[in-house]
Amino acid sequence: MRPELAARLCENVPRYTSYPSAPHFHPGIDAAVYRGWLEALEGGGEISLYLHIPYCDRLCWFCACHTKQTRHYEPVAAYLRSLHAEIATVGGLVSGKGRIRAVHFGGGSPTMLKPQHMVALGTALRDNFDFLDDAKISVEIDPNEMDEARLDALAEIGMTRASLGVQDFDPKVQKAINREQSFLQTKAVVDGVRSRGVDSVNLDLLYGLPHQTSESVRSTVAQALTLEPDRMALFGYAHVPWFKKHQTMIDEALLPGPTERIAQSRLAARAIEDKGYESIGLDHFAKPGDGLAVAARAGALHRNFQGYTEDRCETLIGLGPSSIGRFRQGYVQNMPSTGEYRRRVEGGELAVVRGIAFSDDDRVRGWIIERLMCDFAFSAIDLVESFGKAGQKLLRQASSIALKDPARLLELQGDSFVVPAENRPFVRSIAVKFDKYFERGTARHSASV
């Protein structure tokens, strides 16, 4: 690897699931602003929903999600009563102003819900929002929690995509991250959701974990591929113990170094592609007929807080503590504290406590960053035609970056700015050059690769 590229391996930069990124949200965007944005929605549009379940029955030490461990179900049941209250309030404000195209259940662990509570949640959503007949329902699944009743409940709410966390099948790695889960457990859930008509299965894998080697990653990928998932995600472990204290349970001395991390990433990607999967953006893969691959080939790929998606909805409504929503006007985020969230929504209030409104400059920079993250390129003509003078300003900046960067991470090819194939793992380090907030921010981020 060229020295100027090796230096990029340890750069800490945002993951760019949004722009501006969440550390730059502020309390000036509050519940009153959020209510105005909900009321301003126009009829006939399509809307996505994200529901956050902030509980797990165990903490995986690698996890950086907003969640908490509970060994008792009563806190979960109490939280669900609050979530139902928020659904009713937001649904009332949205009524007649859009139809639901997609729903994503995330966490935490949505599948720790009792089957009857999962069904009741699905019913509440359909009672309070107008769903399209072909709406997509995605659920994040922990195979350790699954049984036949839960599989039946997911089928009853209309799940169309199951996303299973695998991470790694090596028992030594699993023990080091407190996530013990056998291949047979995982296979049983994959078989179970498919037998109930689910037409899309995604597996999440991680590299950069303690005790992982290129050989152990190769073995995990090989086992995962025998399940023939429709999609796979290959994430680099984000070690952020200053943000998630339970990550201090992971011995940093056991983590692979930056050069080994990228070797693991590239080896896994090659193994997946060799089986006929198409590479999607930075870290996703899909079978050629999958909607994600179709969208990528058409230049219609998008990126949000769930990663790469073919979801084209301009409006994303977040439900639950810490959930983030996106509107034409900007981003909003709910109160992270579960207790304070419950107090607000049970009183009929909206739970948003911060966010950011888009400036014209944010919109053009966000478009560039999304296209880089999704397509590894953007058109100079599209930039100017879509954004006018603001686009011309950023065109000059892009030209300067392409000419002055000795690593040649971004090149001008014809009328497009392109990330060369060998430099694509470093796309976050390219995107950050268009991030006007980054240098003046104080947030700490995970490694670039």
Side-chain angles (χ1 to χ4, degrees):
M1 183 178 296
R2 302 200 309 272
E4 66 270 22
L5 288 183
R8 308 268 180 168
L9 290 171
C10 296
E11 287 185 335
N12 294 327
V13 293
R15 301 188 78 85
Y16 290 119
T17 50
S18 72
Y19 181 82
S21 53
H24 303 291
F25 294 0
H26 59 80
I29 304 298
D30 57 12
V33 174
Y34 179 39
R35 179 179 293 272
W37 290 0
L38 288 170
E39 292 174 342
L41 289 173
E42 299 176 356
E46 295 184 354
I47 297 171
S48 291
L49 301 177
Y50 171 76
L51 280 81
H52 190 67
I53 307 300
Y55 290 99
C56 298
D57 55 13
R58 62 172 175 174
L59 278 182
C60 301
W61 294 335
F62 66 86
C63 181
C65 297
H66 176 75
T67 187
K68 62 179 69 175
Q69 181 181 16
T70 178
R71 297 185 181 277
H72 305 285
Y73 193 74
E74 176 50 35
V76 181
Y79 164 69
L80 288 174
R81 292 192 288 270
S82 304
L83 183 58
H84 278 261
E86 186 186 19
I87 289 169
T89 299
V90 174
L93 292 169
V94 173
S95 179
K97 296 179 180 177
R99 305 181 72 187
I100 304 305
R101 163 60 62 191
V103 181
H104 188 98
F105 291 83
S109 185
T111 49
M112 78 174 295
L113 299 187
K114 292 182 177 180
Q116 65 269 30
H117 290 158
M118 178 62 77
V119 172
L121 194 55
T123 300
L125 290 173
R126 293 185 183 273
D127 286 346
N128 286 278
F129 295 94
D130 185 12
F131 275 63
L132 290 163
D133 291 340
D134 59 347
K136 302 296 184 182
I137 312 294
S138 303
V139 182
E140 296 175 10
I141 292 176
D142 179 352
N144 286 283
E145 298 166 337
M146 297 306 292
D147 53 29
E148 293 298 311
R150 282 184 167 86
L151 288 168
D152 289 341
L154 293 177
E156 188 170 343
I157 69 170
M159 180 176 69
T160 59
R161 177 172 299 121
S163 185
L164 283 68
V166 170
Q167 326 321 332
D168 191 289
F169 285 124
D170 186 322
K172 187 175 183 181
V173 175
Q174 291 182 355
K175 186 175 181 180
I177 61 175
N178 200 37
R179 177 61 178 256
E180 295 182 59
Q181 171 185 321
S182 73
F183 171 79
L184 291 179
Q185 281 179 296
T186 306
K187 182 179 185 301
V189 175
V190 171
D191 292 343
V193 298
R194 283 182 168 151
S195 71
R196 289 165 173 80
V198 172
D199 60 7
S200 181
V201 173
N202 172 77
L203 300 182
D204 286 345
L205 308 181
L206 283 177
Y207 64 88
L209 291 171
H211 294 301
Q212 273 187 326
T213 64
S214 292
E215 187 53 43
S216 71
V217 169
R218 186 199 309 274
S219 175
T220 287
V221 171
Q223 292 178 80
L225 286 168
T226 66
L227 301 177
E228 298 188 359
D230 302 275
R231 302 178 179 183
M232 298 179 74
L234 178 65
F235 300 120
Y237 165 56
H239 190 60
V240 288
W242 59 87
F243 177 56
K244 291 296 179 181
K245 297 300 182 185
H246 57 260
Q247 288 191 353
T248 59
M249 299 296 292
I250 290 179
D251 184 351
E252 293 184 352
L254 301 178
L255 294 174
T259 302
E260 173 63 14
R261 278 175 64 99
I262 197 168
Q264 292 175 7
S265 169
R266 289 180 168 177
L267 181 151
R270 285 195 298 271
I272 296 169
E273 291 168 348
D274 285 347
K275 289 295 184 179
Y277 289 77
E278 295 186 6
S279 179
I280 310 294
L282 181 64
D283 47 24
H284 284 46
F285 303 84
K287 291 182 175 179
D290 185 88
L292 201 63
V294 173
R297 290 195 300 270
L301 191 65
H302 295 285
R303 189 163 170 84
N304 63 22
F305 290 94
Q306 285 77 60
Y308 289 106
T309 178
E310 70 271 39
D311 183 356
R312 61 182 182 272
C313 296
E314 182 180 53
T315 301
L316 167 65
I317 294 175
L319 300 164
S322 81
S323 291
I324 294 175
R326 186 190 191 281
F327 293 79
R328 174 173 46 84
Q329 300 93 334
Y331 288 108
V332 295
Q333 185 172 22
N334 276 354
M335 162 63 66
S337 165
T338 304
E340 179 61 15
Y341 161 84
R342 291 191 59 207
R343 186 194 69 77
R344 292 180 182 228
V345 298
E346 289 177 9
E349 302 176 36
L350 296 170
V352 162
V353 292
R354 67 183 197 134
I356 193 165
F358 297 143
S359 67
D360 289 343
D361 186 67
D362 291 336
R363 296 180 196 278
V364 63
R365 291 177 184 273
W367 180 86
I368 289 174
I369 289 172
E370 184 176 41
R371 298 295 16 110
L372 285 172
M373 294 297 297
C374 292
D375 304 331
F376 301 107
F378 63 91
S379 164
I381 293 174
D382 289 347
L383 176 63
V384 174
E385 288 184 349
S386 299
F387 299 100
K389 289 184 178 179
Q392 290 176 344
K393 176 183 175 182
L394 269 295
L395 179 60
R396 291 192 291 271
Q397 181 178 343
S399 299
S400 177
I401 292 170
L403 290 172
K404 294 180 180 179
D405 185 358
R408 307 293 291 178
L409 295 185
L410 187 67
E411 295 180 351
L412 181 58
Q413 298 179 9
D415 72 343
S416 294
F417 291 90
V418 178
V419 181
E422 66 272 17
N423 293 340
R424 289 180 178 180
F426 307 95
V427 67
R428 290 166 62 199
S429 293
I430 304 167
V432 78
K433 293 179 178 295
F434 294 95
D435 184 345
K436 72 174 182 181
Y437 297 91
F438 182 73
E439 291 298 333
R440 65 192 194 212
T442 58
R444 298 173 68 182
H445 302 282
S446 58
S448 173
V449 179

